[in-house]
Amino acid sequence: MTTTARPGDGVTANPLRKGLATNRIADPCNVVFFGATGDLMARMLMPAMWNLRLEDILPASYGIVGYSRSDDDDDKFRDEMHKSIDEFSRSGPAKEPLWSDFAKHLSYVSGTFDDTNGFHKLRQRLERNDKELGTGGNRLFYLSTPPSVFAQIVEQLDKAGLGPKDSPAGWTRIIIEKPFGTDLDSARALQAEVSKVFEEKHVYRIDHYLGKEPVQDIMALRFANVIFEPLWNRRYVDSVQITAAETVGVELRGGYYDNAGALRDMIQNHVMNLLALVAMEPPVSAAADAIRDEKYKVLCALRPFERGRLSLDAARGQYDAGSIGGKPVPGYREEPDVRPDSNTETYAAVKLLIDNWRWADVPFYLRSGKRLTHKTSEIAIRFKPIPHRLFGDVGDTLENNTLVMKIQPEEGVSLRFNAKVPGPKMHIRSVSMDFNYGTGFGVVSAPAYERLIGDAMRGDATLFTRWDAVEHAWEQVMPLLERWLDTADESFPNYHAGSQGPPSADRMLAMDGREWRKI
Ligand code: BG6
């Protein structure tokens, strides 16, 4: 069932969206957040629900249920959520009378994740919401807890009769936060538990990068234009660089991060998802599985790392003290909950090759790191040099054309090409042509979680990662992960906070006669 929009409370009235059916309203449903008193809930998930309400994407009949260990009640939960919206919502503090109406849809169930009684209370609450709020038996469970309890929650949902097979009246879906496993074996073990209760079509594995507006635009750029696709292959592309650079350190997540590292935290999921979108073949349709099939094929075509070349095809780093934006920051080993002799990488770079007709021999260089000089996520397609040079003085360098898809903080597309410098002589210089989302469409992109929760409520799995892709991405990184776990890097810490990363990453590209783009 699809309900109609409530006019008037939308936060954005964008003229460029006029006439477009953008308000895809979800079915009536309950959304249950496990880990409801956690940081992600306060910063991202509750503000996302609030903004979905403001944008008229929530249906008229909805319930939002928080489930967590804390001994809160509905009123305390509502107060906490009010505070988190006031502090973190992109639309500013929650205003009346909308807040009071929204708060009526919020409730809280206190329980541990292995507490059968707690899950029974949850079930009662959901049944009550179905009656009182008209939520129609539809349920979306969001697992925003430490990954160690994912399997427990799934099991308890089943025991409490909250699995999909027990709700013939409505649908049941589950969103699972990353990381999905900590290595190939644990991912498979988790999948085995999840699949006892949920079929693949019920499972929404979240990778918030896929919800970022410019990431979704990768497909539009490629497949809604005729000019790029003919060049999008080994004939014209020299190499591709995918960067996810951060200025933040591990903040208060040292306990998690020190057992994860950049390869698991960023490369295996976010960055490899970007690679798949950039390298995939045109899907046969825009259906979720048509797109996910093509992404999966890219992962299948990745050349496995050769164990003997791991030190040539990958580089790792760990930050030392330094300064970011003029402020001194501590080294990784001084961060809270990090081992003082930690061997965990806070920077990872890999070179990947895709063994198929389109990409044979085109290197894809992927890197991600914390405490780098700037926050930048981008995909840069560097084209081959021109075959024959006609113009330009000896001193003029003709740069290779580069197409950059900017994901954050800038959002847009930039094409670098060569042009004549005005004047009597044929001097050539590189210039760029830029498209920026903000100025192009006059809107600020909605945060990824808004888009993704809305999609899961509507049953659109396009931007969620299918199990086969998760498994394959783990298979790809395992040889490197094992090597890095087995052998300490004696050079750690090997890059200063606020720098471009470790020299070993530069050497990796220099061996191929290339350089990283400046962060
Ligand atoms: C998360 C990682 O998945 O992504 C974090 O666990 C990282 O370590 C974050 O900081 C980066 O996300 P964004 O959207 O800030 O690039």
Side-chain angles (χ1 to χ4, degrees):
M1 180 176 105
T2 306
T3 48
T4 43
R6 288 147 295 170
D9 10 277
V11 274
T12 52
N14 178 7
L16 289 168
R17 288 210 209 150
K18 236 184 180 154
L20 298 178
T22 49
N23 275 4
R24 299 185 299 149
I25 299 171
D27 297 344
C29 64
N30 276 296
V31 186
V32 179
F33 290 97
F34 290 99
T37 48
D39 193 52
L40 187 68
M41 182 73 175
R43 285 173 182 272
M44 298 287 179
L45 305 180
M46 187 48 67
M49 294 307 290
W50 171 248
N51 284 301
L52 286 171
R53 170 65 187 90
L54 295 186
E55 294 276 3
D56 296 332
I57 290 171
L58 286 190
S61 307
Y62 65 95
I64 300 173
V65 184
Y67 185 105
S68 217
R69 282 179 283 224
S70 314
D71 203 14
D72 293 357
D73 57 18
D74 289 351
D75 284 341
K76 178 132 191 279
F77 180 62
R78 287 173 186 147
D79 284 351
E80 290 301 317
M81 295 302 105
H82 195 179
K83 278 189 222 145
S84 76
I85 291 168
D86 288 352
E87 190 172 355
F88 297 112
S89 165
R90 69 185 171 102
S91 53
K95 292 201 186 76
E96 292 294 358
L98 212 54
W99 164 254
S100 292
D101 175 63
F102 184 76
K104 286 186 205 144
H105 297 252
L106 300 186
S107 53
Y108 183 79
V109 177
S110 161
T112 57
F113 301 121
D114 56 356
D115 168 16
T116 309
N117 192 28
F119 282 76
H120 278 293
K121 280 193 285 173
L122 174 62
R123 182 176 166 170
Q124 282 163 2
R125 162 55 72 178
L126 294 176
E127 287 170 354
R128 190 169 136 198
N129 280 0
D130 285 342
K131 282 200 198 101
E132 292 175 4
L133 301 173
T135 37
N138 295 324
R139 286 145 194 188
L140 176 62
F141 297 110
Y142 193 125
L143 271 48
S144 148
T145 58
S148 53
V149 296
F150 288 168
Q152 244 171 36
I153 296 175
V154 168
E155 192 191 334
Q156 290 297 338
L157 285 172
D158 189 34
K159 279 196 184 154
L162 288 168
K165 68 172 172 8
D166 301 306
S167 57
W171 48 254
T172 300
R173 300 179 190 134
I174 188 164
I175 300 182
I176 305 184
E177 258 300 331
K178 71 169 267 276
F180 197 90
T182 52
D183 57 17
L184 182 58
D185 288 347
S186 60
R188 282 183 174 152
L190 174 58
Q191 174 60 15
E193 293 305 314
V194 170
S195 63
K196 282 183 195 159
V197 182
F198 293 92
E199 289 171 45
E200 184 61 27
K201 66 176 183 209
H202 305 129
V203 184
Y204 291 68
R205 291 178 203 78
I206 209 161
D207 179 322
H208 77 280
Y209 261 61
L210 295 179
K212 292 182 191 277
E213 201 65 52
V215 173
Q216 296 166 53
D217 193 47
I218 296 170
M219 276 193 289
L221 183 90
R222 291 190 56 195
F223 306 128
N225 293 292
V226 77
I227 56 175
F228 302 113
E229 204 47 27
L231 308 178
W232 215 263
N233 56 53
R234 66 189 305 273
R235 193 144 173 224
Y236 295 102
V237 175
D238 165 81
S239 56
V240 178
Q241 288 189 18
I242 307 182
T243 301
E246 302 185 84
T247 49
V248 289
V250 289
E251 319 268 80
L252 299 174
R253 297 164 71 227
Y256 150 75
Y257 195 88
D258 207 37
N259 292 308
L263 187 62
R264 291 196 254 221
D265 186 51
M266 294 291 291
I267 302 277
Q268 184 271 343
N269 37 72
H270 304 320
V271 185
M272 285 181 70
N273 256 317
L274 297 181
L275 166 91
L277 281 171
V278 153
M280 73 184 190
E281 295 301 316
V284 291
S285 77
D289 272 329
I291 292 170
R292 300 194 301 175
D293 286 347
E294 296 308 330
K295 287 176 62 191
Y296 173 62
K297 285 188 213 161
V298 173
L299 298 174
C300 292
L302 285 176
R303 185 180 300 177
F305 285 114
E306 269 178 54
R307 287 187 190 265
R309 287 188 51 91
L310 284 173
S311 57
L312 305 174
D313 292 340
R316 56 179 157 165
Q318 187 189 75
Y319 62 83
D320 199 355
S323 81
I324 305 243
K327 280 202 192 125
V329 293
Y332 176 68
R333 290 175 178 183
E334 282 101 60
E335 301 274 17
D337 301 323
V338 168
R339 286 162 289 209
D341 59 347
S342 173
N343 185 48
T344 300
E345 81 286 355
T346 58
Y347 178 105
V350 294
K351 170 182 172 181
L352 293 175
L353 290 164
I354 301 174
D355 285 331
N356 65 16
W357 275 51
R358 186 188 282 264
W359 295 117
D361 301 325
V362 176
F364 282 71
Y365 301 106
L366 279 42
R367 65 178 160 166
S368 178
K370 293 205 178 284
R371 286 282 191 230
L372 297 171
T373 176
H374 291 116
K375 181 170 173 76
T376 316
S377 295
E378 60 164 43
I379 301 170
I381 316 279
R382 183 175 193 257
F383 292 92
K384 291 197 164 159
I386 50 168
H388 171 67
R389 177 172 169 152
L390 270 184
F391 304 118
D393 269 10
V394 189
D396 296 347
T397 43
L398 260 64
E399 274 185 29
N400 292 28
N401 296 139
T402 308
L403 181 75
V404 184
M405 288 164 267
K406 299 178 184 177
I407 296 165
Q408 62 186 16
E410 279 179 76
E411 301 185 332
V413 179
S414 166
L415 178 64
R416 218 159 164 81
F417 61 102
N418 295 309
K420 178 183 173 296
V421 180
K425 286 197 77 181
M426 199 63 176
H427 278 303
I428 304 291
R429 285 282 181 279
S430 187
V431 294
S432 62
M433 199 154 69
D434 291 303
F435 159 72
N436 176 295
Y437 274 93
T439 45
F441 286 109
V443 279
V444 178
S445 303
Y449 281 102
E450 258 174 61
R451 170 67 198 256
L452 294 172
I453 296 174
D455 280 3
M457 289 171 78
R458 285 186 291 262
D460 181 348
T462 313
L463 302 177
F464 294 83
T465 317
R466 217 166 53 186
W467 163 243
D468 53 4
V470 173
E471 184 180 37
H472 223 88
W474 276 122
E475 276 172 358
Q476 181 66 29
V477 301
M478 277 321 288
L480 186 59
L481 189 62
E482 283 166 359
R483 170 68 58 86
W484 285 0
L485 287 173
D486 286 353
T487 51
D489 189 323
E490 301 302 337
S491 70
F492 278 6
N494 61 356
Y495 70 97
H496 289 296
S499 71
Q500 296 275 325
S504 51
D506 296 335
R507 285 198 294 274
M508 182 177 118
L509 258 71
M511 273 184 318
D512 290 352
R514 298 191 177 89
E515 282 178 4
W516 289 109
R517 289 168 52 77
K518 277 249 162 331
I519 289 172

